Amino acid sequence: MDGTPKLNCWEARGCGRGPDSPDPCQAATDVASDGVNDGVCAGRICWTVPRTGCLGEPQGSFVDKLDTCLICDFFERVKAEQGDDFRLLKLGQGVSDAPELHATIARIESFLRIPEDLHAQFDLRRLLGRITDQAQRTVSAERSVVFLVEGDPPVLRGEMLRAGERVPIEIPLAETSAVGCAALRNRPVNVRDPYGTGTNPGDTVAFNTAFDAQCGVQTRSLLAVPIHGSDGRPIGVITAANSERGEFGADDQWFMEQYALQAGLAVEKAGLLADSALAGRLATFGEALSGLSHSLRGITHALNGLAYIIRQAVRAGRTQDVEAACQILDRQVQRIVRLSRAVSEYESHRGGPERGELNEVVADVVRTLADEASARAVVLQSELDSSLAAGECERVLLYRCLLNLLADVLQSSPATGGRVVVRTRKGDKEEAVVEVLADGWGPHLELASGAPSWRDGCQAHATERIGLPTAQHLLRALGGRLEADSGPGPQAAYRLHLPVHRSDDEHAVPVGVEPVPPLDGGAVGVEGQLASREGRDEHQQG
Amino acid sequence: MSEAKLKILVVEDNADEAQMVKMILEPEGYEIALAVNGREGLEKAEADKPDLIVLDVMMPVLDGFAMCAKLREDPEFQKVPVILLTAVGAHIRDTKYPISGVLRAQAEEYLEKPVNPEELVATVARCLHR
């Protein structure tokens, strides 16, 4: 954001009701908020000010306007511009202490975004890089290294960046170092003054200065937290270290431990998927599982509860409860069977692209997501143009593309359900159009905030997330393009323009079908592929 | 004379999940009423005067956040504990509505599905000071 002026709301909106105007807005007179989010008065935290004059109309109280403020493009803009320094609330808003609390809120918000990023990464090496970055950010450390237990006899191996190069580090799996202790004792080790004496109160862990010699630094504080596999055994250690900054506190340790739980699962999964062919085949499953998250949570929730009910009912001799629980159990099992059938039908095949009828694929995606939609109280419908019956395209890619798009659309549906319609129709020339009309939120916010999923410069992030960016990535591989029509608030429309082939054209090479580039970013430029409602976007980005 | 049972209203649009919550809580000595959406939940709350409400978030007609917010507007229900029980946690990071919903709804507890039944029982007991 360097060079971009940070506007106050009256400047962004052009309402002319700044502090020097004859009729200043409430936000422009709130001197107590001066400087918050780098604004003048409450010009960059206006959502906390009651009775502001946004859009020419007096707004209500903080609570009244909260819903509209939190989806406002100016709110998103400030959030994007401030990054980690963003402050959502101000003093007096039910918050009574100093900036540390705001920092904690920001930290928690940013922390909540981590699992999705981690679990969408299938490549172990890239995942370890991601963990290193995120761990470092999570505790504001100067550096971080992730060690994995490897080899026979086992040692802790990691890599650290030194002068732009990756330097391998190896530490014995023994109690001769803080890192080794964290792995062997299976608990965090917080070394507060490694070169002092008696510096780690209540702990017998000694810092091994050979670690610094290996890394070419002098450590002043070190936090080493074990990462576990699903069986609870340590499979590695995440370290965060400082040379200039201070020691790590109890909060840092808590965040790192929570982070390590997610990291352990992601490492284990990536290890299982080390075979890239397997990773490719399982991409469909991964995306489907993510797209069906609500539904699967519901099923797991029911199974959990039913196991408990049956156990309790058997103990108490309540046979009627056992019977009723078993009936519900049967229905949950049927849900799982239906979902797994729907997904396994589209497991990626090893034999190259396979064509399928467009309408059939669309119907299958809608069928796959029917349970998810129902769990979200969303009505999901398809309206298929029968004149497209002979139109074909690469079925697995299209299935994955629609699955990702609809997963995003369902996630953005209002809590009171909503309606999503998937339509097919003929487009220009040899093209079909799949339209998705939803009454939830569209990509308007991403457009307004310049979020990476839709913009240049951050493609790596864009292509690794499950959802809309991945849909766009797959659509490009299909030779298609996406248009989105979305404004502030609910209502969104997406149009996928796809090249199709006639089913009787057996020898035709599928037009526009390219091998799917790896989901490693950099390959997909999305600029220019998105057409959006012009007037609104100009306003949003203003 | 036996003590009157405490009443719990479970508002959940998925019939199986609603039944399941009922079957978990009923043996603990509570009287359970069910409603399938927020609007029906408000009507039953008005009629039954529950001591605690277990609320799903995503429901047709009137969602859990909105129902909870409406309850809080009514002085009679301002102190009635509400437990939000939902799978929406996966995107609570998203400020599009969940955070505003949680702030505005003023629920006592927010349990993410899949919920551990023991945790649900303990949470209900804690909210009812049992």
Side-chain angles (χ1 to χ4, degrees):
Chain A
M1 291 291 165
D2 287 352
T4 310
K6 290 186 174 179
L7 300 180
N8 294 290
C9 60
W10 52 86
E11 293 155 339
R13 292 279 176 241
C15 67
R17 296 186 60 196
D20 300 328
S21 75
D23 178 25
C25 170
Q26 298 289 331
T29 57
D30 183 4
V31 289
S33 298
D34 211 24
V36 177
N37 290 331
D38 298 327
V40 175
C41 293
R44 288 175 65 82
I45 190 162
C46 47
W47 49 90
T48 64
V49 180
R51 295 175 295 284
T52 47
C54 321
L55 307 169
E57 287 182 18
Q59 306 292 302
S61 69
F62 169 60
V63 171
D64 290 338
K65 61 183 221 165
L66 196 60
D67 266 348
T68 42
C69 284
L70 295 190
I71 58 166
C72 166
D73 54 287
F74 181 69
F75 172 82
E76 284 299 325
R77 176 185 178 142
V78 175
K79 206 168 147 200
E81 286 173 348
Q82 297 304 119
D84 289 343
D85 296 328
F86 175 72
R87 281 174 57 176
L88 176 67
L89 302 173
K90 60 170 187 157
L91 298 182
Q93 211 80 50
V95 178
S96 56
D97 65 354
E100 285 82 34
L101 184 56
H102 299 297
T104 305
I105 291 171
R107 193 177 186 185
I108 291 170
E109 285 178 345
S110 129
F111 188 72
L112 288 167
R113 291 184 205 112
I114 282 177
E116 184 190 2
D117 273 357
L118 275 186
H119 293 299
Q121 179 56 260
F122 291 91
D123 179 86
L124 183 60
R125 191 181 167 85
R126 294 176 62 82
L127 174 67
L128 292 177
R130 181 67 55 87
I131 293 174
T132 306
D133 291 346
Q134 290 181 342
Q136 196 176 334
R137 278 206 304 272
T138 297
V139 293
S140 299
E142 289 166 28
R143 56 186 183 276
S144 169
V145 179
V146 182
F147 294 91
L148 291 186
V149 179
E150 289 176 349
D152 187 17
V155 291
L156 286 156
R157 287 200 187 113
E159 280 183 347
M160 84 174 285
L161 271 180
R162 201 164 73 191
E165 286 196 15
R166 291 184 179 278
V167 180
I169 308 172
E170 195 171 296
I171 293 182
L173 186 59
E175 298 220 354
T176 50
S177 68
V179 179
C181 278
L184 279 178
R185 298 180 187 183
N186 202 5
R187 63 176 174 78
V189 170
N190 192 351
V191 181
R192 294 191 165 89
D193 184 4
Y195 289 87
T197 50
T199 50
N200 202 25
D203 209 331
T204 56
V205 175
F207 179 77
N208 187 341
T209 51
F211 179 85
D212 276 4
Q214 253 185 308
C215 303
V217 292
Q218 179 159 0
T219 301
R220 282 186 60 189
S221 55
L222 175 84
L223 179 61
V225 177
I227 49 181
H228 311 102
S230 51
D231 60 359
R233 284 186 305 171
I235 56 174
V237 174
I238 306 178
T239 65
N242 285 334
S243 291
E244 301 294 327
R245 295 179 199 165
E247 61 189 36
F248 297 101
D251 280 0
D252 294 319
Q253 187 171 318
W254 182 88
F255 273 105
M256 190 67 113
E257 284 181 70
Q258 304 310 309
Y259 179 72
L261 287 176
Q262 297 293 336
L265 295 174
V267 166
E268 196 171 51
K269 179 197 70 189
L272 289 172
L273 298 179
D275 175 343
S276 62
L278 179 63
R281 285 180 69 200
L282 290 182
T284 317
F285 287 114
E287 286 154 6
L289 286 177
S290 177
L292 297 168
S293 64
H294 211 88
S295 179
L296 293 172
R297 274 169 178 252
I299 294 173
T300 322
H301 172 63
L303 295 179
N304 246 355
L306 292 167
Y308 172 88
I309 290 165
I310 292 171
R311 227 173 23 242
Q312 300 287 91
V314 166
R315 274 192 205 133
R318 295 191 307 268
T319 49
Q320 276 185 330
D321 275 7
V322 176
E323 208 168 295
C326 285
Q327 283 172 4
I328 300 177
L329 188 64
D330 283 347
R331 287 195 284 275
Q332 300 306 317
V333 171
Q334 286 308 312
R335 273 175 89 183
I336 298 174
V337 170
R338 277 197 301 275
L339 290 179
S340 60
R341 270 194 196 140
V343 175
S344 59
E345 174 68 20
Y346 280 85
E347 177 192 358
S348 294
H349 292 271
R350 287 174 184 275
E354 182 191 340
R355 281 160 59 176
E357 195 191 306
L358 181 120
N359 277 346
E360 208 172 273
V361 176
V362 173
D364 283 343
V365 177
V366 170
R367 206 171 297 128
T368 302
L369 290 172
D371 193 271
E372 176 73 6
S374 165
R376 292 174 178 276
V378 173
V379 177
L380 176 62
Q381 294 173 318
S382 59
E383 294 171 8
L384 307 178
D385 180 350
S386 56
S387 68
L388 280 170
E392 290 190 340
C393 52
E394 209 287 295
R395 66 194 288 273
V396 176
L397 283 188
L398 178 60
Y399 180 83
R400 287 178 57 196
C401 173
L402 285 172
L403 195 69
N404 274 282
L405 174 63
L406 286 173
D408 222 277
V409 168
L410 289 179
Q411 276 215 350
S412 305
S413 292
T416 314
R419 186 162 179 263
V420 177
V421 180
V422 186
R423 270 186 204 145
T424 59
R425 64 173 167 84
K426 275 186 174 170
D428 299 336
K429 300 176 186 170
E430 292 299 304
E431 192 182 74
V433 179
V434 181
E435 267 181 329
V436 177
L437 309 170
D439 54 11
W441 286 269
H444 150 73
L445 293 177
E446 285 89 339
L447 285 167
S449 63
S453 52
W454 291 95
R455 291 288 161 188
D456 54 343
C458 295
Q459 288 99 336
H461 179 72
T463 51
E464 283 164 12
R465 281 187 56 189
I466 289 169
L468 197 51
T470 308
Q472 198 172 31
H473 171 77
L474 293 166
L475 187 59
R476 187 180 165 85
L478 282 161
R481 66 195 160 87
L482 176 66
E483 287 175 2
D485 189 356
S486 153
Q491 299 294 336
Y494 304 84
R495 281 178 293 279
L496 285 73
H497 295 262
L498 286 159
V500 288
H501 321 277
R502 290 179 56 83
S503 54
D504 50 8
D505 186 9
E506 287 180 13
H507 303 292
V509 176
V511 178
V513 175
E514 304 162 2
V516 189
L519 292 180
D520 59 2
V524 182
V526 297
E527 202 68 43
Q529 288 190 39
L530 178 75
S532 54
R533 212 175 291 159
E534 281 180 13
R536 285 181 172 182
D537 284 335
E538 279 171 16
H539 173 65
Q540 287 152 16
Q541 290 169 45
Chain B
M1 197 174 80
S2 65
E3 203 178 319
K5 286 183 174 180
L6 290 170
K7 290 180 192 171
I8 297 177
L9 173 61
V10 178
V11 190
E12 163 68 78
D13 63 322
N14 181 306
D16 280 350
E17 288 183 28
Q19 190 60 27
M20 194 190 75
V21 173
K22 183 180 179 189
M23 288 164 74
I24 290 172
L25 295 178
E26 218 164 36
E28 302 296 322
Y30 302 111
E31 186 181 323
I32 311 293
L34 302 179
V36 296
N37 60 50
R39 189 183 294 164
E40 192 185 309
L42 286 174
E43 287 166 8
K44 289 216 168 163
E46 194 59 48
D48 296 349
K49 312 285 186 243
D51 299 290
L52 179 142
I53 299 171
V54 177
L55 254 184
D56 183 26
V57 169
M58 290 186 170
M59 289 185 294
V61 187
L62 187 67
D63 65 72
F65 288 148
M67 176 183 163
C68 194
K70 279 198 181 295
L71 280 172
R72 295 306 186 216
E73 286 170 9
D74 184 339
E76 193 177 4
F77 292 107
Q78 271 172 6
K79 304 277 183 203
V80 175
V82 173
I83 300 175
L84 285 173
L85 187 66
T86 179
V88 82
H91 55 112
I92 192 168
R93 63 177 175 77
D94 192 337
T95 53
K96 282 173 189 169
Y97 67 76
I99 287 178
S100 63
V102 173
L103 285 176
R104 198 163 51 90
Q106 301 170 57
E108 270 62 29
E109 295 283 350
Y110 185 90
L111 295 181
E112 227 179 86
K113 293 177 187 174
V115 173
N116 180 338
E118 282 97 345
E119 191 187 349
L120 175 62
V121 171
T123 307
V124 166
R126 190 172 60 246
C127 288
L128 291 170
H129 308 294
R130 287 183 80 191

